[in-house]
Structures are given as C-alpha cells and as structure tokens.
Amino acid sequence: MVVWSYKNVLGALSAVFLESWIGPSGMPSSPEHLWFNSYTSRNVYDVWIYIGSQFALLFIAMAFALLFCTGLKMYQASRQERGLKAGFADLWLKEPPFLLGIGLAQSHIFTSGWYWFPAAVVRADVSMAVYTVFVRSVCGVICTVVITAITKWHRQHCKRERGKWDQDTLSARWVWALWIELFVRALPFCFAWQWSQLCHNMYFFGWFGCQWPYEECGKSTLWMWVFYCALFMFVAFHAVPKLQATAQTMQQLEESYGKTLCKNDKHLLRSQLITNQQFATFFSYGLGWGFTSVIATECKQHITPNCPESITASNVFYSVVTTIVLIFGVFCSVSHAFLGGFRLRRRADMIVTIDQGCAHQLFGDIDNDSNGYITRDELSDF
C-alpha cells in the first residue's frame, strides 16, 4: 500500500509540475503528433522543461526517502541500545517502500527521449505502429545500457565498501552510501517500466490502434487487458527460467574463469548477467502492472461494484467485498502461483549448484564484504 501510494503521490506531483510549467495538457507536444517534436522553439523549450521537472521530481523523491530512512536508522539505533527490536524500522530499512516511486521518476527521464523524435514522420503513408515501436525500443535500449553500467559499477564498488559503510552509521559517508543504494535499487523498477511501455505500445497501438494511456480503447478495453496479461504470463513462464539459467551460467563463468580463461570477457559476462537479471525481474513487475491496469479499466467501466458511482452503505459494502475477492481471490492467487514457480526453480538451481560442488560460487556472492564469513544480515539480504 505504501509502495503504490508513494508512486501515486509522485505521479500527481509530476502532473502539477508539468501543468504549471508547460500548460494544461502537461505534455511537451500534442496528441495529433503522437507527442513527437515539431522542433518549434516552443516545443523544444517544453521538452527541456519536461526534463528539468523530472530531474526535480527525482531529487524530491530521493531526498524524502533519504530523510525518512535516516530517521528510521536513528530509531533503530535507539531501540538496539535498549536491547529492543525495531519492528517496522528493520523491515523498511531492508526493503524501503519508496523504490517504486523513485523508479517511476527515473523512468520519466528516459522517456524524455521520445519527445526528441521528429513529428514530421507522422504522416498517412508511414506506419505509426512501426515508428512508435522503434522509438520505444531506442528508449529501452538506452535505458538498458545505462542501468547495466550503473549496476555493474555499484556491485564492484559496494562489495568493497559496504562493510565500512555499515560501521560508519549516520555519518556523512553513510548518508551518501544510502543515497546511492536507494538510487541503484530503484533501477529495476525503471527498467521494468520502460520495457513494459514497449510491450503496451506493441500490443495496444500496434494491434488495436489504441493510443496511450490505453484506458479508452472502446467497450473491449477490459478484455484487451485481460488477454494482454494472459499473453504476458505465457511468455514470462517460458522466458524467465531461461533468463535465470543463463544468468547463473554467466555468474559461474565470471567466478570461475573471469580472471583466467575468460579474462578479456569478464566485463561482458558481468553485463550479460545483469541484463538477464533485469529482464527476469521485468516480467514479475510487468505482470503486476498488467493486473493493476485490469482493475483500473474495470473500475472505469463499472462492470462490478468495485467502483460505485454513488456512495451509499450498500454500495460501499459491495465494493469492499468485490475488492477483497478480486485482490485475494483472483489476482493474489494467480500471482502467488506464478511467482512461486519461479522461486521454486531458483531454489532448485541453488541445490544443483551445491550438488555440483560449486557451493563457493553461490556463497561467495552472499559474502558481500569478502571476509570469508557469512553473517545473518548478509544471508537475509541475499
């Protein structure tokens, strides 16, 4: 709940920025041009305003998350001094509820690439489906390259310095390390959002001619989203195990031969490992966003009592019951079974790794400070 609320707050704040600085549309171009750039002075100016506003949004999101986590760390330290557990502070420091919102702000920055492509291509003799898919693909590839480079740097830097950061709690170095940690841990959400937008564009605009935000595609909008989720789930069910298996192979090669036989390919192996892990994560997040879009579309069409048009006691009761059934009876059960299968395969892969005598590769990745010992915190983080 907190995760989605923070993301929604940042989305609303972004809309306020854009409507205040660009205009009522809140976009740096027009739907007639599919939001591409006409390269008028006004259009170029609006794109730069859009980029600046998204950097400002990212800074605000990061600053609030940093202040909140610092307060939680102080609360945790005071509780530990008295021999007490910190409760929710331990949980939120381990899994900050702000990462989805930060990832959304990061994604908006990469999306700005869309607004630099020329609107002159928008003509009757040009396939807009192909053009928009091409633009989304370019944005996705740029996002992938940048995120892979940042993540690779962070893994190298973090493994050497994490022990020093943990011992230097609430110092300037610890705060800077936390800032970096929040930024990097939000990148998978940014990655997933970019590639989800490409999938949405291919499916809705390419097949049905429905434009963004894909919520008003006629009476069949709900069924479009349902079939999208089913198709996405089918692809993920077959793709994710292969991505995870390839990632495990890349990790084993890097650990075993990165300094010997594959010395020249060490950085390529690490990049491939990170990319495969990012795409495997993308399928999990993308499926969740697909389910939320099904609910949002159903709510707009008032097919069930989930979103009543008027507030009465009976409508509220039916809405609560319907929401519980949809969330826990349908989507949670499907998502749990879907993700549970992936987790089972991952545990099985770990067992196979140990059985093959390669346990040092698995546990070496858990040992973040490389001191030869695995602590409870390192095992929990893994």
Side-chain angles (χ1 to χ4, degrees):
M1 183 67 71
V2 176
V3 172
W4 284 99
S5 298
Y6 190 63
K7 185 265 295 183
N8 292 337
V9 169
L10 290 176
L13 184 60
S14 174
V16 170
F17 285 165
L18 295 175
E19 290 177 7
S20 301
W21 298 340
I22 294 180
S25 67
M27 303 296 286
S29 187
S30 62
E32 292 78 16
H33 294 153
L34 295 179
W35 298 280
F36 292 121
N37 204 319
S38 60
Y39 285 98
T40 62
S41 58
R42 177 64 186 182
N43 202 163
V44 173
Y45 173 79
D46 286 346
V47 173
W48 283 117
I49 290 295
Y50 175 88
I51 295 174
S53 67
Q54 298 314 304
F55 272 105
L57 181 71
L58 177 59
F59 178 81
I60 293 172
M62 292 283 297
F64 180 83
L66 180 68
L67 291 174
F68 196 92
C69 289
T70 302
L72 288 178
K73 190 66 177 179
M74 296 174 64
Y75 172 77
Q76 183 190 56
S78 66
R79 298 280 293 182
Q80 289 177 346
E81 288 177 357
R82 291 178 288 172
L84 301 174
K85 294 183 178 181
F88 75 95
D90 293 332
L91 178 62
W92 281 10
L93 284 171
K94 181 181 177 182
E95 297 292 338
F98 311 107
L99 300 181
L100 179 58
I102 296 173
L104 177 67
Q106 294 169 337
S107 178
H108 285 176
I109 294 174
F110 286 104
T111 301
S112 63
W114 175 286
Y115 305 117
W116 287 114
F117 280 82
V121 181
V122 182
R123 302 193 307 268
D125 59 334
V126 177
S127 173
M128 285 299 99
V130 174
Y131 184 54
T132 54
V133 168
F134 168 75
V135 173
R136 283 290 184 192
S137 299
V138 171
C139 294
V141 170
I142 294 173
C143 174
T144 301
V145 172
V146 173
I147 288 178
T148 300
I150 294 174
T151 305
K152 185 166 64 174
W153 168 85
H154 179 258
R155 290 188 179 183
Q156 295 172 335
H157 183 66
C158 178
K159 196 166 186 177
R160 295 194 304 265
E161 302 293 334
R162 180 174 291 177
K164 299 178 182 179
W165 296 341
D166 292 340
Q167 296 173 3
D168 219 8
T169 304
L170 296 180
S171 65
R173 183 166 60 174
W174 181 87
V175 172
W176 173 244
L178 179 59
W179 180 279
I180 297 175
E181 190 81 8
L182 289 170
F183 182 87
V184 174
R185 291 183 63 183
L187 289 175
F189 294 99
C190 171
F191 180 92
W193 188 258
Q194 281 296 312
W195 286 99
S196 292
Q197 290 300 305
L198 172 61
C199 293
H200 295 168
N201 193 96
M202 293 173 60
Y203 179 80
F204 287 95
F205 190 63
W207 286 3
F208 303 106
C210 180
Q211 295 187 13
W212 180 87
Y214 318 117
E215 295 177 351
E216 298 180 358
C217 305
K219 297 180 179 180
S220 302
T221 303
L222 178 62
W223 290 111
M224 290 180 187
W225 275 109
V226 170
F227 284 117
Y228 170 83
C229 291
L231 180 62
F232 194 91
M233 186 182 301
F234 175 81
V235 174
F237 188 79
H238 290 82
V240 171
K242 294 180 180 180
L243 289 169
Q244 291 178 336
T246 304
Q248 184 179 7
T249 301
M250 294 298 107
Q251 184 173 359
Q252 291 176 353
L253 288 174
E254 182 192 359
E255 294 289 340
S256 301
Y257 305 108
K259 297 180 180 179
T260 55
L261 297 178
C262 301
K263 185 176 180 179
N264 295 331
D265 298 324
K266 181 178 180 179
H267 294 290
L268 180 60
L269 289 173
R270 187 169 297 168
S271 298
Q272 187 64 47
L273 167 65
I274 294 172
T275 302
N276 284 3
Q277 291 175 338
Q278 296 282 2
F279 272 108
T281 306
F282 146 70
F283 280 106
S284 299
Y285 297 150
L287 182 62
W289 288 329
F291 285 151
T292 58
S293 296
V294 171
I295 292 293
T297 304
E298 186 277 326
C299 188
K300 286 189 174 183
Q301 295 184 356
H302 302 288
I303 296 175
T304 69
N306 184 38
C307 298
E309 297 183 3
S310 59
I311 304 299
T312 62
S314 60
N315 285 345
V316 170
F317 173 77
Y318 291 129
S319 175
V320 171
V321 172
T322 305
T323 301
I324 293 175
V325 170
L326 288 175
I327 293 178
F328 296 101
V330 180
F331 295 112
C332 282
S333 59
V334 172
S335 179
H336 178 73
F338 182 72
L339 297 178
F342 292 149
R343 296 190 183 102
L344 177 61
R345 294 186 185 187
R346 186 182 181 189
R347 292 193 295 269
D349 290 339
M350 291 180 180
I351 295 174
V352 171
T353 301
I354 296 172
D355 187 60
Q356 292 175 345
C358 303
H360 64 282
Q361 298 174 5
L362 173 63
F363 295 110
D365 192 54
I366 302 175
D367 186 15
N368 293 315
D369 52 12
S370 302
N371 63 354
Y373 298 94
I374 298 175
T375 65
R376 184 185 298 271
D377 291 337
E378 288 175 334
L379 189 59
S380 299
D381 291 341
F382 181 77

